[in-house]
C-alpha cells in the first residue's frame, strides 16, 4: 500500500512532496515524504499504535513530536546496526528505512504480555521489594530470569557496530544552544557584534517551535524569519552552525559535550563518512535557549494511542501536514492548548470540545472560541478514555459533577510548559519553582551560562525574541565584543498563562505519570504513604523518571503529585537531580576511533619490522609490542623456540631488543645528589664511565622500580627503568624534584623512544661487540669491566652508547644507537654475528635467563615487596637519606617472618611449577592461617633440564633444602617442591665478570 | 507488616492503602545512648545490627540528606569477596555470607543476585596474579575458578575475542559474586532498624562533635545539639571533614567516581564482567540497563559529578569488551564522592577520643562490604573493641606498616 497516506493534508508542511520515501514498520510497507519523521509518516498512514509499555505492555502511540517522546520507541534498522528504543519522533525518514515495534510478543497488536495488566493490582510501586524472597535460591534460578526477560525494551545488536564515529573539539566565545526564536536572536546578536559563535540545535532545521506553530514574525510566517536568520548566520565567518546536534552535557569550567548526528538520516553513512560526531565545546559564554517541553496531565487512560501533547498535534499539523485525528478533543490547563483547537479546525478536523481544567479560562479565549462555534467546558476534566488499540472516546467530568462521554479519535492534552532547564542544572544547581508561571525555572546559574526564551520561562514569541537578543548581546560583550545595533523583529505576545494542574482526581483507570516506566498516580501516592517521601525516594521506589527519557515529561507531574500526597509545597518537594546526557547518546560516539585495535596506540620498537620478518611472536607489554620468541621452521611450539634461544645465549651469543626499557637522561649540577635521593644506594660516588644497578623505593618504603644508572659525565646520568614503569618513574622524578627538592639543579628528559637498544649476551658477546664498535675500543675486562659505560661508534659512523651489563648472568653488553638506526643496527648485528652462532632471543628467553639468575622482575616487583624481601637489603644505604628510607623501617616491613625471595625446584623434577601457587608446609591443612607465601615466577631451565621457580616464602632463607607444598587448587595442582637458593646458575658470577 | 506475596495480595484488595510507612520520621530527642552519623548503607546497617545483635535501641542515625542519599544509592552494585589480602578476604567473605541471608533476615527483597563476577586477564603475568588471588580465596574457603579463554568465550558470548587491543586470555570467576539492588539495601536496613526502635533522623546534618575531657558527649546538628555517650561515624566520602570536627586528621582523600547506565534492553549480559587491561566493570540490571563504571576522575573533589575525559575512557573500555554495545545509548551518568584511603582498604576502629568510633576508607568498594561493615562496626561500638574480622582495619596501621594494599599501588589514594 504505497502512496495512500490517508491522514496527510493536501497542502502545507515542511515536507518535500516531490520526494516520496518508502519504508517498512513491522514488515509492512508504507510511504512518506522527505522531511518526515518516522512518527509523522506513520501517523500520515493512519498508524498510531507504535509500541508497548515497559511493565504492563500497554499499547502506545506517540505522545510528543520531539526528543522528549516517552512512548513511540522502536527498533530501527537491522542486524549489526539495530538500534533499540529509538524515538520514532526524531527519526528522520529515509528511503528503505526498516523499523520494528519492540517489547511485544507475538505482535504489536496482540501482545500476550498484556496479561501483566491483569496483575496490575499486585504490580504496584515497589512490589518486588516485598516478595520473591522465598526460597533464597529461587531468585537467580526462577524469579530473576523471568523479570529480566520481561523487562528491557528493545533488543541490542549482537554484532560489532560497522559504523565509524569521530571526536572533535570546538572553541568559541558564545555557544548558543537551541535555534528556536530565542536562540536565533541570541546567535544573531552575538555574531553581529563579532563574537565567535557556535549555534547548535538537535533538529535538522533551524526554527524550534516556529516550525510547529503558525506564528508570524514581521508579518510573515515565522519559519521564513528563521530561515533568513539562519542564512545570514551561515554566511558569517565567525559562526559555526551545527544542525542535528544535541548539546547533551555541561561539565566543569564551561566545557560542553554535544552529539552531531552526521548520517543517521541516511540508510547508512556514505563511504568515509562518520555516523555521529562527539563535539567537546569549550565556550567562554553560553546561552541556553533550549525551549520548553509540554507536560502531560495524569488522568485515567491517558496513555491510549491518540492521546497526545497539544503542542505535538500542532507540530504534526503544521510541520508535517499530518492530521493526527479527525475528531479532536482538547484537554488543557493552559492558554496554549486552545491554539490546538484552532489548528485542528484550520486543518479541517472537527473539534468536539475544549475541556479546560481551569474554572475561568481567559475571556478572550472564550470569546474567540465562541466565535468559531467551539464547545467549551471550563472547570471540567477528562477522567477516562475508551478504545482498544487507540482512542475512541473520552469521559469528561463537568463542574456539576456529571459525566459526559465524547466520541473522538484524538485528545490533545496541554498541561502547560516546563522550561528545558536540564543543562542549567548539570552543574548541580536546582531549578526553582515559579508559582506565577506554574513552572520550574533555572535557579542559580553556572558561571558563564545565561538562559533565554522559553527555557527561562518566557513563553511568548515576542518575549523570546527580545530575551534571546539581549542574552546574545550580553554574552558577546562579556567576551569583549561591542554590541552591534539590532532591530528586534515584530511578533505578538500571545496568551500564555498556565495552571499548576497535574492530575485529575478520581481517574477512571490507570492514570500514568511516567509513560515509559508505567508509573501511575497511585504508585506515587503509595510511595509517599510508605514513607518514600523525599522526591529521590519516590523516584527510586517507583522508578519515576528513570526510563530512557529520564522523565522529561514525567518528573514535574510526579513531584507535584508527591507534594500533594505529602502535604508539602512543590517548592519544598523540589526536583530530582538533572544529569547528562540530556538525551541518550550512543556509546560509540563517545568512543570515536578508540576502539578495536585502535583502543590505545601501539608502540613498536625500531626493530619491530625486522622482528616480524624473522618469525617473532609479539606480546603486549603496556602499549608496546615486544618480540616474545622467534620461531624457526620445524619447531613444534613456543617452548622449542625459547629453549633454543636461552641455550644459545648460555653457549654462544644472543641479541635481544630491549628498546622498550624506560630511558631517562638526568642532567644538572645536582644530578648526582638528586639520584642519591631517589635511589637506595649511593650514586654520587660512581665514577664517570661506570654503571650501578639501582633500586627505587616508593615513599611508603616498598620497592618501586629497578634499573641501571650510568654516569656519562660529571653532571650527566643515563638511567633505565623497567618497561612497565617508564612513565611512572619519570613522574616520580619530576615529583621528587618539583615538590621535595625544588632547589636542586637537575632536569630530566625521557629518551625511551630516542634510543634503539639491544642486549648482546653470551660467552661470545665480546667478540661480537668488538666487530660492531671496531678495534679502537678496548673491550678487555681490565679496560671495560662489568658495569662500564662508554660512548662509541658503530661501523665507524653511528654514535652509540655501550654498557657492559648483564641480566642473564652471562658476559653481556647493551648497545644503544639513535632510534632511526635501530633497524639497520639489528640487521647489521645479525649479519656479522652469524659466524659466532648468534641468535635473536625474545622476552620469554630473557625471562628464563633472569629466573635462572634469580633476578627479581615483574612478578617480584609487585608493590608488596621490600628490598629485604627480595634479598636486596644490602642496597639500602645507611649513609644518606632517600625516598622511602624511613617508612621502610616500620615494624611490619622489618618483621623477620615476612616471606622472602628464594628459589624452588620440583622434587619430582619432571613436574612443572606454576606462578601463583601458594606454599604450605607439608601436611598442613589448606587454610589461610597456614599460608606461607606464593610462587612469583617460573621457567623451564634448559640449562638444568627442569622447571624452576622464584617465590616469596616465610623465613625462606632458613628453609633452603626443605620441602614445601606448592598448592594451586584453581588449576587442580598440588605438588611438593624443594626450597633452594634463588640463583640457579653461576652463583659466584664468574661468567658475568668473565 | 511483614512483606510477603500474601501480604501483597491482601493489600491489593485494599488498593494498597494499608501499607504502613517503611520508617517513621521522628523528631530528634535530646539524648541517645548511641548516635551513628551517616544514613548510608554502612550507617543504617550498623544501626540495624546494634539493635538486633546487641540490643542497643536507644539509638539514632543522623543523616544530612535523605536516607541513602550518598554512595549507597550511587554505586554500580557489585558484590564479591575475591580479595587477596588475608585481612580483607575473611571480612568480605563474611559480608557475602550476610548478603546470602540478608533478605530473609530483614524481610526486604534487595535482589541479591549471585550471577557471578568474572575478572578478565590479558597477559601471562595477570594470569599468574589471578591464580595467586584465586588460590588465596580457596585457602579462605571462598569460591574461585580460573577460566581459560575458551571458557570465557562460552560464558560471555558478546565479548570481543578477535579484535581487541589487549586480547582476553582468561578470567578469574567468583560464581557467588553478583549484584544487589542498592537502594533496597539502605531501605531494608532502615526499615529493620526503625522496627527495632531506632530513630532515623533525616535532613539533620552534623556540624560539630562535642568532646569533653577526651570523651565524646554529643553532636551539634542543623536540628540542634543531640547528646550521646557513643558516636559512630559512617560518613563515607565526607569522613575527613566530619572527623575533623573532633580534631582527627584521617589518612583519607576524597575523590569523585562516576557511573553510567544505558537504556534498557533485553538480556545481553548475565554476569558482572571486569576488564583487566584497564579499570572497567559492567553488569546488566534486572530492568535491562547496562550499569558500568571505571576509574576515578583523578582529582580531589566533593562534587558528586565528573567530567568528560573519564567518560570517554570508561566507554572506550566498555566497547573494547563489547563492540556490539556501540549503538546502545547511555541515558545517565552520575558521580559519588569516595573516601579513598592510603592503602585502598577501610578503617573500622576506635579513635583516640573515648566513645568516638570510625568507619571509613571504603574507596569504591564499600557497597559489597555493607553488611559486614555494619555488623563489625556494631560489634566494635558495642564491645568497645574490634571483632576479629575487622581487627586489621586499624587506624594506626599506616604507622606500623601493616597496610592492606590489594593492588600494591602504594600511598596514592587515587590509584586504588
Ligand atoms: C559510582 C560508584 C560506584 C561504586 N561501585 C561500587 C561497587 O560496584 N561495589 C562496591 O562494593 N562499592 C561500590 N562503590 C562504593 C560504595 O558505594 C561505597 O563505598 C559505600 O556505599 C560507602 O558506604 P555508605 O553506603 O555508608 O556511604 P554513603 O551512602 O555515602 O553514606 C554516607 C552518608 O553520610 C552522610 N553524611 C555525610 N556527612 C554528614 C554529616 N555531616 N552529617 C550527617 N550525615 C552526613 C551522607 O549524606 C551519606 O548519606 C561505588 C561508589 C560509587 C560512587
Amino acid at each position: 500500500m504505497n502512496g495512500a497516506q490517508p491522514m496527510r493534508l493536501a497542502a502545507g508542511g515542511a515536507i518535500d512532496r516531490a520526494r516520496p520515501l518508502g519504508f517498512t514498520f513491522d514488515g509492512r510497507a508504507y510511504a512518506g515524504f522527505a522531511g518526515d519523521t518516522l512518527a509523522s509518516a506513520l501517523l500520515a498512514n493512519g498508524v498510531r499504535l507504535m509500541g508497548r509499555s515497559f511493565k504492563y505492555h500497554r499499547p502506545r502511540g506517540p505522545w510528543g513530536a520531539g526528543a522528549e517522546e516517552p512512548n513511540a520507541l522502536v527498533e530501527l534498522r537491522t542486524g549489526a546496526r539495530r538500534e533499540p528504543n529509538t524515538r520514532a519522533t526524531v527519526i528522520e525518514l529515509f528511503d528503505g528505512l526498516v523499523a520494528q515495534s519492540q517489547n511485544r510478543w507475538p505482535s504489536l497488536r496482540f501482545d500476550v504480555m498484556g496479561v501483566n495488566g491483569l496483575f496490575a493490582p499486585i504490580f504496584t510501586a515497589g512490589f518486588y521489594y516485598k516478595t520473591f524472597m522465598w526460597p533464597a535460591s529461587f531468585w537467580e534460578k526462577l524469579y530473576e530470569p523471568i523479570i529480566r526477560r520481561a523487562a528491557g525494551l528493545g533488543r541490542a545488536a549482537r554484532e560489532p557496530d560497522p559504523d565509524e564515529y569521530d571526536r572533535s573539539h570546538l572553541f568559541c566565545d558564545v555557544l548558543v544552544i537551541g535555534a528556536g526564536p530565542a536562540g536565533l536572536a541570541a546567535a544573531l546578536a552575538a555574531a553581529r557584534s563579532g563574537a565567535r559563535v557556535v549555534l547548535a540545535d538537535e533538529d535538522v532545521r533551524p526554527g524550534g517551535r516556529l516550525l510547529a506553530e503558525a506564528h508570524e514574525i514581521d508579518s510573515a510566517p515565522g519559519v521564513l524569519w528563521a530561515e533568513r536568520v539562519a542564512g545570514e548566520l551561515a554566511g558569517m565567518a565567525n559562526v559555526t552552525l551545527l544542525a542535528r546536534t544535541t548539546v547533551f552535557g555541561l561539565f566543569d569550567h564551561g566545557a560542553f559535550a554535544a552529539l552531531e548526528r552526521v548520517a543517521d538520516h541516511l540508510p547508512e553513512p556514505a563511504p568515509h563518512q562518520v555516523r555521529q560526531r562527539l563535539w567537546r565545546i569549550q565556550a567562554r559564554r553560553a546561552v541556553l535557549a533550549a525551549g520548553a517541553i509540554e507536560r502531560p496531565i495524569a488522568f485515567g487512560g491517558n496513555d491510549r494511542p491518540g492521546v497526545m501533547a497539544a503542542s505535538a498535534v500542532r507540530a504534526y499539523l503544521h510541520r508535517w501536514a499530518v492530521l493526527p485525528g479527525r475528531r479532536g478533543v482538547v484537554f488543557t490547563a493552559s492558554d496554549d492548548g486552545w491554539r490546538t483547537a484552532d489548528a485542528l479546525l484550520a486543518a479541517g478536523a472537527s473539534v468536539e470540545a475544549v475541556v479546560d481544567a481551569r474554572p475561568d479560562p481567559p475571556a478572550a479565549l472564550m470569546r474567540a472560541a465562541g466565535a468559531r462555534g467551539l464547545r467549551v467546558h471550563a472547570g471540567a476534566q477528562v477522567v477516562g478514555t475508551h478504545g482498544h488499540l487507540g482512542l475512541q472516546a473520552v469521559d469528561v467530568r463537568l463542574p456539576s459533577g456529571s459525566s459526559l462521554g465524547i466520541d473522538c479519535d484524538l485528545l490533545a492534552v496541554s498541561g502547560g510548559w516546563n522550561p528545558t532547564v536540564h543543562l542549567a542544572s548539570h552543574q548541580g544547581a536546582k531549578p526553582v519553582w515559579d508559582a506565577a508561571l506554574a513552572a520550574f525555572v533555572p535557579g542559580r546559574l553556572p558561571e558563564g551560562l545565561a538562559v533565554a526564551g522559553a527555557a527561562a520561562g518566557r513563553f511568548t514569541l515576542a518575549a523570546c525574541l527580545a530575551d534571546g537578543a539581549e542574552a546574545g548581546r550580553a554574552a558577546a560583550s562579556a567576551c569583549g565584543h561591542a554590541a552591534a545595533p539590532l532591530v528586534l523583529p515584530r511578533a505578538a505576545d500571545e496568551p500564555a498563562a498556565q495552571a499548576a494542574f497535574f492530575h485529575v482526581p478520581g481517574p477512571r483507570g490507570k492514570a500514568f505519570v511516567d509513560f515509559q516506566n508505567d508509573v501511575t498516580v497511585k504508585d506515587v501516592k503509595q510511595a509517599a504513604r510508605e514513607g518514600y517521601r523525599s522526591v529521590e525516594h519516590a523516584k527510586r521506589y517507583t522508578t519515576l523518571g528513570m526510563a530512557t527519557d529520564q522523565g522529561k515529561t514525567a518528573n514535574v507531574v510526579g513531584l507535584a503529585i508527591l507534594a500533594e500526597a505529602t502535604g508539602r509545597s512543590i517548592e519544598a518537594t523540589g526536583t530530582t537531580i538533572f544529569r547528562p546526557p540530556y538525551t541518550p547518546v550512543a556509546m560509540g560516539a563517545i568512543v570515536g576511533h578508540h576502539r578495536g585495535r585502535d583502543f590505545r596506540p601501539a608502540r613498536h620498537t625500531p626493530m619491530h619490522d625486522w622482528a616480524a620478518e624473522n618469525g617473532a611472536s609479539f606480546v603486549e607489554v603496556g602499549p608496546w609490542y615486544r618480540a616474545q620468541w622467534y620461531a624457526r621452521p620445524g619447531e613444534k611450539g613456543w617452548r622449542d623456540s625459547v629453549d633454543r634461544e636461552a641455550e644459545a645465549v648460555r653457549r654462544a651469543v644472543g641479541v635481544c631488543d630491549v628498546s622498550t626499557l624506560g630511558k631517562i637522561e638526568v642532567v644538572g649540577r645536582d644530578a648526582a645528589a638528586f639520584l642519591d635521593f631517589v635511589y637506595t644506594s649511593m650514586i654520587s660516588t660512581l665514577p664517570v664511565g661506570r654503571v650501578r644497578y639501582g633500586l627505587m623505593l616508593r615513599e611508603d618504603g616498598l620497592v618501586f622500580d629497578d634499573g641501571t644508572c650510568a654516569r656519562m659525565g660529571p653532571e650527566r646520568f643515563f638511567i633505565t627503568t623497567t618497561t612497565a614503569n617508564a612513565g611512572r618513574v619519570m613522574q616520580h622524578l619530576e615529583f621528587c624534584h618539583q615538590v621535595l627538592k625544588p632547589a636542586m639543579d637537575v632536569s630530566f628528559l625521557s629518551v625511551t623512544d630516542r634510543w634503539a637498544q639491544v642486549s648482546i649476551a653470551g660467552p661470545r658477546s665480546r667478540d661480537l661487540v668488538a666487530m660492531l664498535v671496531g678495534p679502537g675500543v678496548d673491550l678487555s675486562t681490565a679496560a671495560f669491566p662489568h658495569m662500564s659505560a662508554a660512548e662509541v661508534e658503530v661501523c665507524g659512523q653511528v654514535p652509540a652508547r655501550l654498557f657492559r651489563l648483564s641480566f642473564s648472568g652471562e658476559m653481556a653488553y647493551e648497545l644503544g644507537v639513535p632510534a632511526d638506526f635501530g633497524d639497520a643496527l639489528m640487521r647489521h648485528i645479525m649479519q656479522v654475528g652469524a659466524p659466532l652462532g648468534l641468535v635473536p632471543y625474545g622476552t620469554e628467553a630473557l625471562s628464563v635467563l633472569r629466573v635462572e639468575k634469580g633476578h627479581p622482575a615483574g612478578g617480584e616487583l609487585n608493590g608488596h615487596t621490600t628490598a629485604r624481601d627480595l634479598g636486596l637489603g644490602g642496597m639500602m644505604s645507611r649513609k644518606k637519606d632517600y625516598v622511602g628510607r624511613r617508612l621502610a623501617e616500620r615494624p611490619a616491613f622489618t618483621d623477620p617472618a615476612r616471606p622472602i625471595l628464594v628459589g624452588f625446584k620440583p622434587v619430582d623434577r619432571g613436574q612443572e611449577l606454576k606462578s601463583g601457587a601458594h606454599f604450605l608446609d607439608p601436611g598442613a591443612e589448606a587454610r589461610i592461617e597456614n599460608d606461607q607465601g606464593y610462587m612469583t615466577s617460573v621457567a623451564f631451565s634448559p640449562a638444568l633440564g627442569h622447571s624452576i621457580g622464584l617465590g616469596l616464602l616465610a623465613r625462606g632463607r632458613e628453609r633452603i633444602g626443605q620441602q614445601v607444598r606448592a598448592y594451586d587448587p584453581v588449576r587442580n595442582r598440588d605438588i611438593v617442591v624443594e626450597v633452594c637458593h634463588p640463583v640457579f646458575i653461576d652463583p659466584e658470577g664468574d661468567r658475568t665478570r668473565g | 507488616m511483614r512483606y510477603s506475596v500474601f501480604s501483597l495480595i491482601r493489600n491489593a484488595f485494599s488498593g494498597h492503602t494499608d501499607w504502613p510507612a517503611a520508617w517513621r520520621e521522628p523528631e530528634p530527642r535530646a539524648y541517645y545512648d548511641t548516635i551513628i552519623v551517616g544514613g548510608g548503607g554502612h550507617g543504617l546497617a550498623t544501626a540495624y545490627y546494634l539493635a538486633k545483635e546487641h540490643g542497643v535501641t536507644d539509638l539514632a542515625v543522623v543523616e544530612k540528606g535523605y536516607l541513602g542519599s550518598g554512595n549507597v544509592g550511587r554505586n554500580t552494585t557489585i558484590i564479591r569477596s575475591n580479595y587477596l589480602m588475608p585481612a580483607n578476604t575473611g571480612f568480605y567473605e563474611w559480608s557475602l555470607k550476610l548478603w546470602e541471608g540478608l533478605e530473609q533476615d530483614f524481610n526486604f527483597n534487595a535482589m541479591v543476585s549471585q550471577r557471578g563476577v568474572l575478572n578478565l586477564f590479558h597477559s601471562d603475568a595477570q594470569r599468574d596474579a589471578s591464580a595467586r588471588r584465586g588460590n588465596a580465596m580457596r585457602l579462605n574457603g571462598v569460591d574461585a575458578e580460573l577460566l581459560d579463554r575458551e571458557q570465557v568465550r562460552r560464558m560471555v558470548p558478546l565479548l570481543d575475542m578477535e579484535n581487541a587491543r589487549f586480547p582476553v586470555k582468561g578470567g578469574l570467576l567468583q560464581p557467588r559474586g553478583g549484584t544487589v539492588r542498592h537502594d533496597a539495601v539502605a531501605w531494608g536496613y532502615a526499615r529493620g532498624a526503625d522496627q527495632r526502635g531506632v530513630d532515623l533522623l533525616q535532613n539533620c546534618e552534623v556540624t560539630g562533635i562535642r568532646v569533653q575531657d577526651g570523651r565524646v558527649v554529643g553532636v551539634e546538628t542543623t536540628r540542634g545539639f543531640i547528646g550521646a555517650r557513643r558516636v559512630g561515624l559512617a560518613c563515607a566520602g565526607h569522613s575527613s571533614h566530619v572527623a575533623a570536627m573532633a580534631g582527627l586528621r584521617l589518612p583519607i582523600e576524597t575523590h569523585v567516581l562516576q557511573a553510567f547506565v544505558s537504556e534498557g534492553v533485553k538480556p545481553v549480559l548475565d554476569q558482572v564482567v571486569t576488564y583487566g587491561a584497564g579499570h572497567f566493570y559492567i553488569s546488566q540490571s534486572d530492568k535491562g540497563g547496562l550499569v558500568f563504571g571505571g576509574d576515578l576522575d583523578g582529582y580531589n573533589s566533593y562534587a558528586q559529578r565528573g567530567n568528560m575525559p573519564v567518560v570517554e575512557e570508561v566507554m572506550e573500555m566498555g566497547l573494547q569488551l563489547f563492540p556490539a554495545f556501540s549503538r546502545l545509548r547511555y541515558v545517565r551518568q552520575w558521580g559519588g564522592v569516595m573516601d579513598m584511603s592510603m592503602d585502598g582498604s577501610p578503617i573500622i576502629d576506635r579513635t583516640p577520643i573515648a566513645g568516638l568510633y570510625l568507619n571509613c576508607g571504603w574507596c569504591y568498594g564499600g557497597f559489597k562490604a555493607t553488611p559486614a561493615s555494619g555488623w563489625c562496626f556494631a560489634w566494635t561500638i558495642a564491645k568497645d573493641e574490634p571483632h576479629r574480622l575487622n581487627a586489621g582495619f586499624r587506624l594506626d596501621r599506616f604507622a606500623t606498616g601493616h597496610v592492606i594494599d590489594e593492588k600494591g599501588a602504594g600511598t596514592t589514594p587515587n590509584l586504588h
Side-chain angles (χ1 to χ4, degrees), chain B residues 37-42 62-64 69-72 74-78 204-206 234-236 238 242 257-259 336 338 362-368:
Chain B
V37 184
H42 294 207
V62 178
E63 164 55 47
K64 76 179 160 97
S69 50
N71 294 335
V72 69
R74 292 163 194 270
N75 60 71
T76 41
T77 80
I78 301 167
C204 183
E205 179 169 356
V206 169
C235 302
H238 294 276
V242 175
L257 178 71
Q258 303 195 58
M338 321 302 318
W362 293 101
C363 303
Y364 37 57
F367 177 64
K368 67 178 96 67

Side-chain angles (χ1 to χ4, degrees), chain A residues 184-227:
Chain A
L184 285 168
L188 193 62
R192 282 195 185 160
S193 56
R196 284 181 309 157
V197 172
V198 173
L199 173 60
D201 194 290
E202 59 188 357
D203 210 327
V204 52
R205 307 161 64 95
R209 264 324 281 174
L210 295 174
L211 299 165
E213 304 287 5
H215 288 317
E216 295 205 330
I217 296 180
D218 286 342
S219 311
V223 270
L224 293 184
W225 175 84
E227 267 165 35

Side-chain angles (χ1 to χ4, degrees), chain A residues 464-826:
Chain A
C464 281
L465 291 166
D467 201 31
E470 170 52 24
R473 186 207 59 76
S477 106
C479 299
H481 298 277
L486 190 70
V487 182
L488 276 182
R490 269 173 302 107
D493 263 330
E494 64 282 10
Q498 58 190 39
F501 182 81
F502 301 98
H503 73 113
V504 172
R508 296 195 192 143
K510 284 197 181 55
F512 287 92
V513 182
D514 186 321
F515 294 114
Q516 207 180 122
N517 268 352
D518 277 347
V519 180
T520 63
V521 175
K522 262 192 177 160
D523 291 329
V524 178
K525 289 185 174 167
Q526 187 191 332
R529 208 177 301 124
E530 290 196 54
Y532 301 89
R533 295 157 52 90
S534 147
V535 68
E536 290 284 351
H537 280 159
K539 162 187 161 175
R540 290 149 185 256
Y541 194 61
T542 62
T543 74
L544 174 83
M546 293 173 74
T548 64
D549 60 346
Q550 293 286 293
K552 287 191 184 59
T553 56
N555 283 353
V556 174
V557 177
L559 73 88
I561 294 167
L562 181 69
E564 189 185 297
T566 55
R568 289 171 303 190
S569 66
I570 289 180
E571 204 173 344
T573 304
T575 62
T576 53
I577 300 176
F578 292 81
R579 298 278 191 184
Y582 170 62
T583 49
V585 176
M587 285 156 65
I590 304 285
V591 168
H593 296 289
H594 293 251
R595 51 182 218 176
R597 295 272 158 86
D598 298 332
F599 166 55
R600 291 287 177 263
R603 291 178 84 177
H604 290 167
T605 74
M607 293 78 138
H608 186 86
D609 291 348
W610 170 86
E613 288 163 26
N614 285 277
S617 292
F618 292 99
V619 62
E620 303 81 15
V621 181
W624 293 101
Y625 284 94
R626 294 193 73 180
Q628 233 173 337
W629 60 80
Y630 299 83
R632 292 237 172 119
E635 289 176 340
K636 291 198 190 58
W638 64 273
R639 261 285 301 284
D640 286 359
S641 313
V642 174
D643 288 357
R644 171 183 49 73
E645 290 171 13
E647 267 168 340
V649 172
R650 296 254 179 258
R651 200 187 55 236
V653 56
V655 58
C656 181
D657 178 3
V658 294
S659 306
T660 63
L661 291 183
K663 306 179 206 68
I664 301 170
E665 296 268 346
V666 181
V667 292
R669 233 176 315 123
D670 298 321
F674 180 81
L675 291 173
D676 278 346
F677 180 63
V678 294
Y679 280 116
T680 57
S681 45
M682 193 72 88
I683 302 294
S684 47
T685 52
L686 188 69
V688 173
R690 298 290 293 166
V691 186
R692 198 157 278 170
Y693 174 68
L695 193 65
M696 290 186 196
L697 304 188
R698 298 188 309 217
E699 285 186 294
D700 65 0
L702 292 174
V703 172
F704 174 31
D705 197 56
D706 71 342
T708 58
C709 174
R711 190 163 205 166
M712 308 307 288
E715 297 181 359
R716 174 177 292 270
F717 293 82
F718 176 77
I719 71 170
T720 64
T721 75
T722 58
T723 300
N725 281 331
R728 252 171 275 158
V729 170
M730 185 69 189
Q731 274 175 4
H732 178 70
L733 297 183
E734 289 289 4
F735 172 84
C736 291
H737 179 219
Q738 294 178 33
V739 181
L740 307 178
K741 298 282 178 192
M744 281 195 171
D745 174 20
V746 59
S747 56
F748 319 97
L749 189 63
S750 167
V751 292
T752 304
D753 305 75
R754 307 288 290 276
W755 292 95
Q757 196 141 320
V758 293
S759 164
I760 297 170
R764 309 209 59 184
S765 57
R766 180 157 32 202
D767 303 342
L768 176 55
V769 173
M771 289 193 263
L772 298 171
V773 299
V777 184
D778 182 355
L779 293 176
S780 68
T781 295
F784 198 68
H786 183 53
M787 303 307 264
S788 300
E791 309 217 340
V792 298
E793 284 181 346
V794 176
C795 303
Q797 46 185 329
V798 178
R801 283 176 173 178
L802 181 68
F803 310 89
R804 188 166 163 196
L805 300 167
S806 180
F807 200 51
S808 57
E810 298 301 323
M811 179 196 292
Y813 298 83
E814 284 190 17
L815 182 65
V817 294
D820 288 350
F821 294 97
D823 182 77
L825 174 73
M826 199 60 162

